[in-house]
């Protein structure tokens, strides 16, 4: 049974009242400025790679310098340019994984892990690497580096195979889902010990992130409802993560489990863990660093100041936006946030439409990785932003959705939702084909 929905009627009436020359957008159409004044109009494969149009000349220059840092490819020491790769690593440059500043490519079919994705590891018992954090695995740490420079050995070989299942829509149509199964072999040929917890992760897009960093902490915390006091089945809670610069636990915002506090720590961790590049935040054991703070801050300012693409003009998007709300998607994928003050003026006081609450939600057994990360349980994930998601396959064909890129389409991504999102998924699964199509049309217009 469907709840009565008076709002579409009003929308239809107000549309009917418009004269034929006015905008075809209804009340539910996605905002044309999802990134506030940082919004750009670009629906090409370059859409995620543009500087925010409202940067002052000095910040634009820093952004363009940062672009070079993001594109830099590191090599084995000694070398004149970009030395210090490894000894073990996952890939050689930021943009090698965040392809065109978007996602990476999942392994296609069975085979060795493409080095765009990476595997986090930890074990249940022992001394955490940071207060309240995960416990490193002997010989592997918290992440498997499956590549190495010539004088070193990759930590393991990772192979992905796909387990296929099917879901029936209420109208009899069927969808096929695939989930990754990891097979990990250590250099001596032995399998990973059974107590090691693993989590496959894909790189998320990196545009619009400075805006998410600029949302006041109190506003994020105000969206949390850890005990589901309002009884809508959706809780949502913040991750509390160790910040190595502050030396304290703070709100987590970035990464699939919101296990990182801000973009500076995120970039330093990416340099260190993904490429073996040490910096002032994560130096080598002897205190040496591969890059200086200027390079680190270049990559940081770059990921802070990438523009958000505006949605496509689409008649279908309006009806789909209505379903997005009616199905309960917007309870987690929160449509509107307002940024506070940020050191980059262009990011301050912007009304944005990221479709995220930056909170952790239990999405059920199907998506669970069983690997806790700070406060996040093995079933919890941070709501990812959905702005620009309709451009995913324009930017990189065959890239996937969800934390491990398992979903080949937006439909598959929705069908994997469970736990707190089970009601929303069921609303989608039991909707008519035209309603489902309208919702997908809305997401594709973003
Ligand atoms: C080996 C591939 C790889 C490389 C190289 C890499 N990343 Fe990432 N990046 C990832 C993955 C995977 C995640 C998600 C990590 C997680 O949630 O555990 C991520 C997450 C991020 C995020 C958080 C995005 C969000 O929405 O929460 C930022 C920012 C980021 N990377 C920036 C960088 C920068 C800057 C560099 C270069 C210094 C870089 N990355 C290099 C794979 C990579
Ligand atoms: C209870 C909170 C919640 C609700 C309700 C919810 N989602 Fe999500 N959504 C999430 C989380 C958390 C993830 C990330 C899961 C993962 O990566 O494994 C996600 C992932 C997604 C993704 C993939 C994003 C990406 O970048 O790969 C899409 C698309 C999506 N949701 C759409 C929807 C739609 C459409 C609805 C309504 C039918 C919905 N969601 C309802 C929390 C929610
Ligand atoms: Ca190094
Ligand atoms: Ca490691
Ligand atoms: Ca609630």
């Amino acid at each position: 049974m469907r709840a009565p929905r008076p709002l579409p009627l009003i929308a239809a009436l107000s549309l009917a009242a418009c004269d034929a020359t006015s905008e075809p957008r209804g009340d539910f159409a996605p905002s044309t400025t999802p990134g506030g004044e940082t919004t750009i109009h670009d629906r090409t494969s370059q859409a995620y790679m543009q500087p925010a149009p409202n940067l002052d000349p000095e910040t634009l220059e820093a952004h363009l310098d940062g672009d070079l840092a993001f594109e830099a490819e590191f090599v084995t020491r000694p070398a004149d340019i970009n030395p210090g790769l490894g000894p073990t690593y996952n890939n050689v440059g930021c943009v090698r994984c965040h392809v065109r500043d978007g996602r990476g490519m999942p392994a296609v079919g069975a085979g060795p892990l493409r080095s765009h994705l990476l595997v986090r590891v930890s074990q249940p018992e022992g001394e955490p690497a940071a207060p309240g954090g995960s416990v490193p695995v002997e010989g592997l740490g918290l992440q498997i580096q499956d590549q190495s420079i010539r004088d070193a050995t990759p930590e393991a070989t990772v192979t992905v195979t796909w387990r296929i299942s099917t879901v029936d829509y209420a109208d009899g149509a069927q969808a096929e889902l695939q989930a990754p199964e990891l097979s990990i072999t250590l250099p001596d040929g032995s399998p990973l010990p059974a107590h090691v917890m693993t989590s496959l992760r894909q790189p998320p897009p990196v545009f619009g992130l400075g805006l998410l960093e600029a949302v006041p902490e109190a506003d994020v915390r105000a969206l949390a409802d850890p005990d589901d006091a309002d009884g809508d089945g959706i809780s949502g809670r913040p991750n509390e993560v160790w910040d190595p610069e502050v030396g304290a636990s703070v709100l987590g915002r970035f990464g699939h489990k919101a296990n990182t506090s801000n973009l500076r720590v995120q970039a330093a961790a990416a340099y260190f863990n993904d490429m073996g590049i040490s910096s002032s935040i994560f130096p080598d054991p002897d205190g040496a660093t591969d890059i200086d703070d200027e390079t680190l801050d270049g990559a940081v300012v770059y990921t802070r100041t990438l523009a958000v693409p505006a949605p496509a003009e689409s008649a279908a998007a309006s009806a789909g936006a209505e379903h997005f709300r009616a199905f309960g998607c917007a309870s987690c994928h929160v449509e509107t946030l307002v940024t506070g003050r940020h050191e980059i003026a262009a990011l301050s006081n912007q009304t944005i439409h990221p479709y995220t609450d930056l909170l952790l939600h239990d999405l059920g057994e199907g998506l669970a990785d069983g690997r806790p990360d700070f406060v996040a349980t093995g079933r919890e994930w941070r709501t990812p932003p959905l702005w620009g998601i309709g451009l995913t396959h324009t930017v990189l064909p065959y890239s996937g959705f969800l934390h491990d890129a398992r979903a080949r389409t937006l439909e598959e991504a929705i069908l994997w939702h469970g736990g707190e999102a089970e009601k929303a998924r069921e609303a989608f699964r039991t909707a008519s084909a035209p309603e489902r199509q309208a919702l997908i049309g809305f997401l594709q217009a973003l």
Side-chain angles (χ1 to χ4, degrees), residues 132-363:
S134 302
V135 179
V137 178
E138 204 189 319
L140 295 176
L142 293 174
Q143 177 173 329
I144 294 178
Q145 284 82 14
D146 60 352
Q147 311 283 324
S148 77
I149 62 171
R150 206 162 27 181
D151 296 337
T153 311
E155 289 181 330
T157 306
V158 182
T159 309
V160 179
T161 49
W162 297 99
R163 190 178 63 244
I164 305 294
S165 59
T166 53
V167 175
D168 295 321
Y169 287 108
D171 67 4
Q174 211 175 49
E176 188 195 85
L177 301 182
Q178 59 168 27
E181 261 168 22
L182 295 179
S183 157
I184 298 172
T185 311
L186 299 174
D188 66 3
S190 66
L192 202 61
H195 70 278
V196 176
M197 302 179 282
T198 61
S199 186
L200 179 63
R201 305 285 174 90
Q202 75 151 324
V206 291
F207 66 85
L209 301 183
L211 295 166
L212 298 182
E213 196 178 52
V215 175
E217 174 168 347
D219 294 5
V220 177
R221 292 189 184 277
L223 293 171
D225 181 18
D227 304 317
D228 191 18
D230 65 2
D232 66 354
I234 293 174
S235 49
R237 52 200 199 113
N239 204 347
E240 314 286 351
V241 307
W242 186 255
D243 182 310
E245 284 196 289
V246 181
S249 266
V250 301
L251 175 72
R253 287 179 200 251
F254 296 104
H256 293 294
K257 283 195 193 262
N259 74 343
T260 309
S261 54
N262 62 46
L263 294 169
R264 194 158 193 267
V265 173
Q266 179 79 47
Y271 274 118
F272 195 64
N273 298 318
D274 303 351
M275 307 193 282
I277 298 296
S278 51
S279 64
S280 59
I281 301 182
F282 297 108
D284 286 327
D286 64 0
T289 59
D290 291 320
I291 52 166
D292 56 20
D293 275 358
E294 203 181 320
T295 304
L296 172 62
D297 288 326
V300 176
V301 89
Y302 183 70
T303 56
R304 279 182 173 153
T305 52
L306 285 162
V308 178
E313 293 279 338
S314 151
S318 211
E322 181 205 327
H323 297 316
F324 188 78
R325 288 178 197 169
F327 292 172
C329 312
S331 309
C332 303
H333 296 284
V334 169
E335 291 170 80
T336 305
L337 298 171
V338 181
T339 68
R341 262 181 57 80
H342 192 281
E343 62 187 79
I344 296 173
L347 303 175
S348 301
N349 309 318
Q350 299 294 320
T351 299
I352 60 171
H353 305 285
Y355 304 95
T356 176
D357 55 5
L358 297 175
L359 295 174
L360 299 169
H361 295 275
D362 179 337
L363 273 232

